[in-house]
Amino acid sequence: MSINPHFRDHINIRDLGGYQSSDGRIVKTGLIYRSGGLYLMNAEELETLKSYGIKTILDLRTHAESKANPDPIIEGAEMANHSGLTFANGDEIDFSPVGMSKIGEEGLNQLSLLKIYYTEIPFNNEAFKLAMDLLMNGQVPIVFHCHTGKDRTGVLAIVILLALGVDEETVLKDFLLSNEFHKPTIERTLRESEDKFEEHPELKELIQMRTGVTETIGRAIISSIKNRYGSFDEYFRIEYGWNETGLQNIRDKYLE
């Protein structure tokens, strides 16, 4: 997928259509969009979004995030808010710039916690279950988003594309594409601390994760699904109640 010329890059909005499924069909365009916060859009960008005929907006932010920066009202679109954050073991992660700039043992511990956090998102996630129900019920065109459109949104995009039979490497490619949308921020932030990277390589990885995404995390997310359930089909059966017929149904809806 390419940068959307109708939106500023940091909006990180794109159509999940156009990818090829394992059965040779292509994900339909104009039905499933992923994005950063809609409140970041200017008037012209909102008009473009409205022209897509959006029927459903799924906000993956916490209620506190949504209250602080509410989504704009789009006439004719049903709005749903369900946090895409899950972290069941009780640990807390400091996502502030300070927390994501730790070095040494603290930095390595932060990286370990982050890997656990991201690889737990696909499991027992009520927001994801809502998203998949919306897709199965045909409530499209849909746009789902968090704040930057790269983390919670990125993991949900992984799940959706896997459900549609898109191969792992292509799914990873879409996940990593957020780095192109956030490239100026990533490069600027890395430059500010580059003198510390030789001694503290963990800092570079943390900054990359704060401002963009990493291949390491993307692969870990995909692997966590296979490792826990043995196959993607089994994941969808257990997590979403979809047997082979259910997967075929959603693929028939969104592939052509």
Side-chain angles (χ1 to χ4, degrees), residues 37-42 46 49-50 57 59 61 66 69-75 77 79 145:
L38 305 190
Y39 72 93
L40 297 170
M41 295 182 181
N42 60 32
L46 282 173
L49 184 65
K50 291 175 183 177
I57 297 170
D59 183 353
R61 296 175 297 165
S66 299
N69 294 288
D71 274 338
I73 300 297
I74 295 182
E75 187 176 353
M79 305 183 74
H145 74 91

Side-chain angles (χ1 to χ4, degrees), residues 32 84 146 214 234:
I32 309 172
C146 50
T214 69
E234 187 68 3

Side-chain angles (χ1 to χ4, degrees), residues 119-248:
T119 55
E120 283 297 315
I121 292 178
F123 306 107
N124 195 30
N125 192 317
E126 294 301 322
F128 284 21
K129 292 176 182 178
L130 172 59
M132 301 307 262
D133 283 345
L134 291 168
L135 290 175
M136 186 64 85
N137 293 332
Q139 292 177 245
V140 292
I142 184 173
V143 57
F144 59 94
H145 74 91
C146 50
H147 170 57
T148 57
K150 66 184 184 67
D151 298 312
R152 289 163 283 186
T153 295
V155 181
L156 178 54
I158 284 175
V159 170
I160 291 172
L161 291 174
L162 289 175
L164 297 179
V166 177
D167 70 90
E168 294 177 42
E169 290 302 314
T170 302
V171 171
L172 180 65
K173 176 183 175 183
D174 180 80
F175 180 76
L176 294 175
L177 192 57
S178 286
N179 288 335
E180 293 300 314
F181 287 79
H182 292 292
K183 189 173 183 178
T185 299
I186 295 170
E187 291 182 343
R188 183 184 69 252
T189 311
L190 287 173
R191 280 197 305 271
E192 291 171 353
S193 299
E194 63 183 349
D195 59 324
K196 302 176 184 177
F197 294 157
E198 184 174 352
E199 185 176 359
H200 296 289
E202 70 279 2
L203 176 60
K204 184 176 183 179
E205 188 171 356
L206 282 172
I207 291 174
Q208 178 68 41
M209 292 177 70
R210 173 161 63 93
T211 55
V213 294
T214 69
E215 181 175 345
T216 298
I217 290 298
R219 290 194 184 278
I221 293 165
I222 295 170
S223 294
S224 70
I225 296 173
K226 289 193 297 183
N227 292 341
R228 184 170 299 194
Y229 288 116
S231 70
F232 298 130
D233 284 2
E234 187 68 3
Y235 166 74
F236 288 109
R237 186 182 74 81
I238 298 296
E239 292 284 338
Y240 303 100
W242 295 350
N243 56 18
E244 186 177 342
T245 300
L247 281 172
Q248 191 61 49

